[in-house]
Structure formats: structure tokens, C-alpha cells
Amino acid sequence: MPKNQKLRESVKHVNPVLTIDTDNSEEGLVKPDRETLMASLRGILADAGIDTDTPAPASASQSWKQRKEVAEDHWRRAREAMTAYLLSAQKTPMAMCQICHTHEAVIRCTDCLSQVVCGECDKVVHNSHPLHNRESFFDGFFKPICPTIGVKRMEDGSYTHDHQDRLLPMMVPDICACQAGYAVQPGKPIILIGMNGKYHLSLPSLQCNICHVTWNPGLSHLVASGYWPATPKHETVFEIGLFSSYGKLKLRAPGLSRQAFLGMLEDRTLAFGRTGSISGDAFQKAFLEWQYATYVKEGLTGENDFKCHACSPSMHGISVDGNRKLYRFKNATSMDKGLFSDIFIAKDEDVSGFVDHVHGKHRHIPGKGACGSSSFGAAKEVSTKSSSKIDEEGLEIAVCRHGVLTAALNMFRGEIFAYPLFLQNKVSGQGTVTFFCSDVACRYWPYLQRVASVCPELKHLLGMHPLLSVMHAKAHEWTCEVKWSGRNQPGAGLTIGEEVEQVNAYLSRAGVCTKYMSKATRNDMLTVLAMEWNKRKMKNLEKYLAQRHVKTTKRIEEECKNLEQMKAQLGVDEHTLREWAKHVQEWVSVMADNRSCLEKKIQGLHLSLRRRHYDLYHKLDSSKKRHRARKAIRSEKASLEKAIGAYNQQHPSCALPAADDLLQQDHFLWPWDYTDGTTINAQKKSAFEQIMLLDRLKEEEQVLLTEMKRHWQSLQSKAVYLQDLSTSLQNGSTTLQINEESIGGLLCYIKRTQNDLKAKKQHTKAMYEQFVLGLCGDVEDVIHEDSSDDDDDDDGSDSSTDDEVDGQN
């Protein structure tokens, strides 16, 4: 039974119908109604001496305040006692061994149920549990001791520490057919590093008591027992669980450095009576090698971490943008070669070759271009390599509309147009893409048209539709927003084009560490982080699509009501409103190209000043930066006043208001637009925005249904692929170049993957049937279940979509 269904059935029994046997007469059982039960309850309370006229209970906020006050009072009264308990816990016990009950206890183990033991029992028990944390207390205090230290009783009755061999816990095989047992002896010394720090142990060495066959563990035995070598010679090994924990920590905190993590392990080593530092280079190399081996293992089952299940085989929208925080210093060099080359981040030589080819064919316009309210660094066709201490200047990233990372490249010349062109061409080879989203689409698309005219191999890219991201569309003049924003493009749905910004909120935190890494290590670590991010996205994809569908259907109902109110207020029908909307689009297509230089200057200064006023206290965090911003505001405001004066002299009949009044308007219309009945007016503008919003919402519902269908089909296809792969492996018809032992392990891994996939399909089916067919109760019950599995707060890809789109109203 699915988890959601169980939860719903359990809820049914939370408040069962109350039945009271108030009369056992011949008429049988009487089931009172609500009023009778209320009267009975009121009578019971009266008999108990409780005043039923007491005021209503406090509100939730007041109740919470009272609970906090009570809890604080309890802690205040217990604080002195807790300190006393902490002190008394340091007192060594005078007790007998809890195992043999014969000798005096001299060792405490914090990981055993029988915590205080004698030296002999400690040797017997912890010979097979060497990783337990132990303390001796025969000197009158608790002293942490390492696994190879025990306690020995002397002839005079005193105690001393002595050395004991401890073996690495691992699975040992049957070394021969004698079945007469074998002797276990300490073998090769080895260092183990786990979540509790560093251990000095020995590998077990086995010898048969009859035939004297010996066995010593190798790399295969260590990996099978859950360890990963620091080097192929395996003098040092890591617990695989340590790598898994480190990977999850990096996912939750990308800025966590390996030095900080290993420093924590070294502190735990000292706290438990052990010594020794941990090599950061060895840890990082072993971690990346384990990640690569895991990537190859998952790839054998058809898993692709950079493929969105809802965007295959065709993608509705791809968003491309640069991240300047993921740079790297030139002095961070190394001879290592990357493991994840061209898996997520494209090869530098391929990118540079593409850029040189495009620049050789197309006569570019050098320098930085202006776009919207300011001069964006991304709005330029070419730039030279920086001469600073920086090597890679950042990362250009392509993300689908579900926040799944698909491709990236290293930037060496800033955010030039050739970089998103490379990613656009690469992604187009993976399937059909409908919309291409960028924060400078209004300038990038004319560039693409010029390049495609001289590079025929890139003409197919013009089949995509350009879309200006929501945040940057609002920074443009209204005519530009109408022309390029996704809100006003048929078929776009609620594609906002800001998915890269949401991913950058996660990846940017890794820049604290990656700027000091070597080239290969930086690429590998960013690829690992991208894979972990995508896995989390794919894990919650059905819930994400379900949430968006529920929100979209609700908003359609709301906006339909708003449209009816607008028709009633204006006294027109929907056909008239759509004619107005069409009129606006035609007007924009004409007027956007007919603005004079002075008009464009006024429009640009207006947008720039509004943006600077917003950034003044929202983004600038120092008085020095705000001082420079205020200086720029004064300068631009003076230019705006001068331009308004010049414009009013040329057009006295439709003069513009003063600069201060003009800045109060989010999107101001030119004066002649209000007076000329043949052009646009405020009512038509409002009708246009309402019609466009409602159309995009209805499109979004269709897009989501299509993506859900693709998601389900991808799960079905993977199930078929796994079954076919398993059959071919069992029949010996596989083309995989792996040995028989590896084939057996792969078969077991396939079975595990099939089991996980079956549970995934059941959950996905329940979610989709829930809100598509309206089965199994209320939709929102399922949508809001398991909130603990949500992404981090900084993710925002599930919640920001509607908020961003609302901001365009």
C-alpha cells in the first residue's frame, strides 16, 4: 500500500464518531446527536466543578508563548542540577566487571551495552570490535585510549597500559576446504580513517590449521568490506561511508572545505585518545576516484545524471547564464588529469576551437554592449583574456526549466555571446528545444542571426524561440518586455528563464573552495556537485510537477475571475479584449523601432535610475558602495532632467513630467499614448497583460501534463532497459568488457535498482493519479506530505516560479 494512502487511511481514524451508551433499555443502543453530546459534556464539566463560562482558550501565538515560557522555566530550575550531573559523570566508578562479575572494572566503552569491564574481558570483546571508543579509569580519571591499547593487571595489584594487536574489521573468506578452522594473526599494518577519525590497525592474516594455507586481504576484499584505498598500495584506507557523508555535506554546504572536514576528523581522533594527521590530498584524490567509480557503476544501468526525465526527448526551455563567482587562480596548478572531463563541463580546447571558428566567420563588434537599464557584462560579442591573476573567469551553465543542470563550460573571456552559442548548439544535439532563455536574449538573438547567416551549420538554432528572463525583462523598457518576455510569447507557459540563477545560488557557495583548486580538481568537484544536485532534483521531480500543476490550476480559476471583473468594469466582451491585446502587440512591433535617440535615452535613464534606487539598500552592503551609487544616481538624474527638458522643447503639446514624478512610475507610457485614440492606452495595456497571463497559465497546464507523461514514460523505459540488461547478462550475450565476478555484482545491483525503481513508479503513479484524476482524496494532502524531503531553502526552484511571474503584473 502506498505511503500516502496509508497516511490518508490513518487520518480517518484520528477523530472517530463518538458513540455513547446512554440507555440500555429495551429500545436498544441510543446514538445521540451533536447537541445531545454537547449537553452531556456540559453536564460532566459542571459536575466536576469546572466553570463552563471561562474565557476562550488563548490563540495559537499566545499558547506558543506560554509553552516557551514554561519550557524556559523548567530549564532555569534544572540548570543547576544539570551542571551537577555533568560534574558527577566525571567520577570514576568503583564497580565490578559487568561481563564476568569477578574482576574490578578498569575500562569504560561508550559503544557497548556493558560499559564498564575488566582488562581481560575488554580484550575478548574488543578484539572483534576495535572501532569502539574506550576509556581507562584506574588512575582515578577517564583517559581515552586507542584501539591498540589495553589494561594489564600487575602482580602487585596495580594496573598499566599495554599494547594489543587490533585487526581491521572485514569479511574473510573460506581459505580452504579443510573446514578445521584457521588461525588469525596480525598482518600488514594499516591506517583506517572513518567518521571518528584515524585508527592504527592491522590487516588480518589467516592460516589453515591443517594444510597451512595462508590468506592475506587484497584490494578486492577491502572494497567488498566497505573500504576504499587512499592509494592502490592500500597502506591507508577510508570507510566508504565517510565519502558518502562528505558528499552529502558538500551537497548541503557546497562551501565546506576539505581542510575543515578533515580538521574535524583530526579533532575527533585526539578526543578519543588517538593521534595522527590526515592527508588532505590523499583524501580528495580517493574521494574523487570513488565518485568516478560510482558514476561508471550507475552508468552501466543506463543512469544519466545530466538528463532530465521530464525534458526527454524534447525540451520545452533551456536557460543559459554565466556564474562569475566560480573562478580559479592561476597559481593553483597541478599535474593531475581530470576524471570527469567533458561529462558536464566541456573541454576547454573544444570551446576555444568553436569560439575561434565563429569569430573567424563573423565580423564581430568589439566591446561591451548596453542592454536594458544598464550595461550588462553578458551583452558583448567578444572580449580578450583577462591579464589578472585569474585563469578560469567563471562558468557558463545551461539548465532546463526544472532546475536540472545539463551542460557547462569554463569562461576565459567573460560572458561573450559565443559561450551561450556553444551550449545552445550542444544541447540542441540532445533533442528538440523550444525556447532558449537568456538575460540578454534581446541582444543575443540578433547576434545569432548574423552568425547563422555565415555559419550554415548553426542555422538550425534559429528554430528555437528567444525568451528574455523574468528578472531582466523587468529591467527593460516596456516595449522590449512585450517583445521578448516569456509572458507575452505564445507557447512559453510559465517558463521564467531564471533557473540558472536558482542553481547559481547553490553552486556559487562552492567558489570559496574551487578558486584555490587545480584545474582538474575544480572541474571534477563541480561535476560531482552538479550530479548530486541533479539526483536530488530527479528524486523530487514528481512532487515538483504535482505542486506546479495544483498551483497553476488554482491560478487559472483566479485569473478567469479577474478577467470577468475586467469585462464587467470596461463593459466589453472577451473578443474585444483580445483585439486590444493584438493591437498592443502590433503597436509595440512598430513603435519599438521608431523611437528617437532622445526617447531611447530617456527610457534607458528611467530604467537605470529605478534599478539603482532598488540596489541601493537591497544589494549594496557597505557605505562606500552606497556612496558611489548615490553619486551615479545624481549624475544620471541630472542627465534625465536635461533630456526631459530637451524633449519638452521639441514636443510642448505632450510634455513629460518632472524627473521625480517620472521615477514614481514602474512602466511609464509616453504622453501621446494617452491622447491618441489610434494607439495604445492604459486600458488596452491592462487588458493585454491580463490576456497574456491567462493564456500562459493555460499553456503551462498543458506543458506540465506533457512533462508528466514524459516522466512516466522515462521510468517505464528504464524498467524495460534494466530487464533487458539483466536478461542479456544472465544469457551471457552482453557486450560489457567485465569479468564474471563483476557481472554477478552488476546483476545484484540491477535487482536493487529495479526494486528502487518499482517504489519510485508506485509513488509517481499515486501522485499523478491524485491530482490528474482526482482520486484518493484531497490533492493538497499529498502535495504537502513529506515536507522534510524538500530541497534546501536556498533552492527556491519549487516556490519562486509563481512569485517571479506575479512580479510581472
Side-chain angles (χ1 to χ4, degrees), residues 366-381:
K368 185 184 296 185
C371 182
S373 62
S374 61
S375 186
F376 291 127
K380 53 187 175 182
E381 297 188 13

Side-chain angles (χ1 to χ4, degrees), residues 169 207 232 239 262 264 270 301 304 338 414 434 524 566 599 733 742 764-765 776 794 796:
Q207 184 177 27
E239 287 183 345
L262 296 181
M264 180 271 295
L270 294 174
T301 63
N304 187 347
T434 305
D524 288 346
M566 178 176 288
E599 293 166 359
S733 58
S742 298
T764 301
K765 185 174 183 290
C776 306
D794 58 89

Side-chain angles (χ1 to χ4, degrees), residues 422-437:
F422 177 90
L423 293 178
Q424 184 183 5
N425 186 47
K426 182 177 180 180
V427 173
S428 66
Q430 303 174 1
T432 305
V433 182
T434 305
F435 288 93
F436 182 81
C437 312

Side-chain angles (χ1 to χ4, degrees), residues 308 310-320 397-406 424 427-428 430-438 464-467 491-500 544 548 700 703 707 710:
C308 177
C311 292
S312 179
S314 60
M315 187 178 298
H316 184 73
I318 188 74
S319 178
V320 176
I397 305 171
V399 179
C400 79
R401 75 186 223 116
H402 308 105
V404 176
L405 293 153
T406 58
Q424 184 183 5
V427 173
S428 66
Q430 303 174 1
T432 305
V433 182
T434 305
F435 288 93
F436 182 81
C437 312
S438 172
M464 302 182 191
H465 299 283
L467 188 149
L494 295 185
T495 304
I496 62 173
E498 295 292 348
E499 289 78 14
V500 178
Y544 168 68
R548 290 194 66 164
E700 178 71 12
V703 171
E707 290 173 343
R710 292 174 186 163

Side-chain angles (χ1 to χ4, degrees), residues 150-279:
V151 175
K152 180 180 180 182
R153 182 182 175 88
M154 307 298 290
E155 295 181 356
D156 58 358
S158 61
Y159 295 94
T160 184
H161 292 108
D162 69 332
H163 178 78
Q164 298 175 354
D165 292 321
R166 295 286 190 237
L167 306 180
L168 180 72
M170 61 183 302
M171 182 173 60
V172 296
D174 294 329
I175 61 176
C176 64
C178 298
Q179 297 182 355
Y182 46 81
V184 182
Q185 300 294 333
K188 174 184 175 181
I190 194 169
I191 295 174
L192 170 66
I193 299 175
M195 283 301 295
N196 279 328
K198 186 174 183 179
Y199 299 84
H200 291 271
L201 304 171
S202 299
L203 290 175
S205 179
L206 277 60
Q207 184 177 27
C208 179
N209 295 328
I210 297 179
C211 64
H212 303 293
V213 173
T214 60
W215 173 86
N216 292 295
L219 273 176
S220 61
H221 305 101
L222 289 170
V223 175
S225 299
Y227 305 110
W228 192 262
T231 63
K233 295 183 179 180
H234 62 271
E235 286 90 356
T236 300
V237 296
F238 296 92
E239 287 183 345
I240 290 181
L242 178 68
F243 291 154
S244 179
S245 299
Y246 179 67
K248 297 303 180 184
L249 282 173
K250 290 289 290 185
L251 175 64
R252 300 294 177 178
L256 175 70
S257 66
R258 77 179 189 209
Q259 290 90 340
F261 183 75
L262 296 181
M264 180 271 295
L265 296 183
E266 292 176 353
D267 291 341
R268 292 185 66 81
T269 301
L270 294 174
F272 296 127
R274 294 173 260 117
T275 59
S277 59
I278 302 174
S279 172

Side-chain angles (χ1 to χ4, degrees), residues 7-237:
L7 180 60
R8 287 190 297 271
E9 291 186 358
S10 63
V11 172
K12 295 178 182 179
H13 301 286
V14 173
N15 295 313
V17 178
L18 181 62
T19 59
I20 303 176
D21 296 340
T22 57
D23 188 4
N24 292 327
S25 60
E26 296 179 356
E27 288 77 13
L29 181 65
V30 178
K31 296 182 179 180
D33 57 11
R34 179 178 178 276
E35 296 297 327
T36 304
L37 291 176
M38 291 294 294
S40 176
L41 179 60
R42 195 176 295 111
I44 293 174
L45 294 176
D47 294 341
I50 300 177
D51 186 6
T52 57
D53 294 331
T54 55
S59 63
S61 60
Q62 293 174 339
S63 300
W64 175 85
K65 181 179 180 181
Q66 293 173 357
R67 291 197 303 270
K68 294 293 291 184
E69 290 177 351
V70 170
E72 180 62 27
D73 182 63
H74 288 170
W75 272 111
R76 184 163 47 255
R77 287 182 290 175
R79 192 165 295 137
E80 183 177 350
M82 293 300 294
T83 304
Y85 298 154
L86 184 62
L87 289 173
S88 62
Q90 302 301 311
K91 182 180 179 181
T92 58
M94 300 294 294
M96 303 300 292
C97 175
Q98 293 182 342
I99 296 179
C100 66
H101 302 285
T102 303
H103 300 97
E104 181 184 1
V106 291
I107 293 179
R108 179 176 71 173
C109 176
T110 58
D111 295 323
C112 287
L113 183 60
S114 301
Q115 289 202 346
V116 291
V117 295
C118 64
E120 293 299 322
C121 292
D122 169 73
K123 185 176 181 180
V124 173
V125 171
H126 292 107
N127 190 45
S128 58
H129 298 89
L131 305 185
H132 284 191
N133 297 312
R134 300 146 55 240
E135 299 169 313
S136 66
F137 54 85
F138 60 85
D139 286 330
F141 62 92
F142 291 109
K143 180 180 180 180
I145 55 178
C146 64
T148 56
I149 296 297
V151 175
K152 180 180 180 182
R153 182 182 175 88
M154 307 298 290
E155 295 181 356
D156 58 358
S158 61
Y159 295 94
T160 184
H161 292 108
D162 69 332
H163 178 78
Q164 298 175 354
D165 292 321
R166 295 286 190 237
L167 306 180
L168 180 72
M170 61 183 302
M171 182 173 60
V172 296
D174 294 329
I175 61 176
C176 64
C178 298
Q179 297 182 355
Y182 46 81
V184 182
Q185 300 294 333
K188 174 184 175 181
I190 194 169
I191 295 174
L192 170 66
I193 299 175
M195 283 301 295
N196 279 328
K198 186 174 183 179
Y199 299 84
H200 291 271
L201 304 171
S202 299
L203 290 175
S205 179
L206 277 60
Q207 184 177 27
C208 179
N209 295 328
I210 297 179
C211 64
H212 303 293
V213 173
T214 60
W215 173 86
N216 292 295
L219 273 176
S220 61
H221 305 101
L222 289 170
V223 175
S225 299
Y227 305 110
W228 192 262
T231 63
K233 295 183 179 180
H234 62 271
E235 286 90 356
T236 300
V237 296

Side-chain angles (χ1 to χ4, degrees), residues 295 298-299 302-309 343 534 538 718:
Y295 167 78
E298 294 175 349
E303 188 67 31
N304 187 347
D305 292 325
F306 297 100
K307 177 181 178 182
C308 177
H309 296 167
I343 294 176
N534 288 349
M538 289 299 98
K718 185 174 181 180

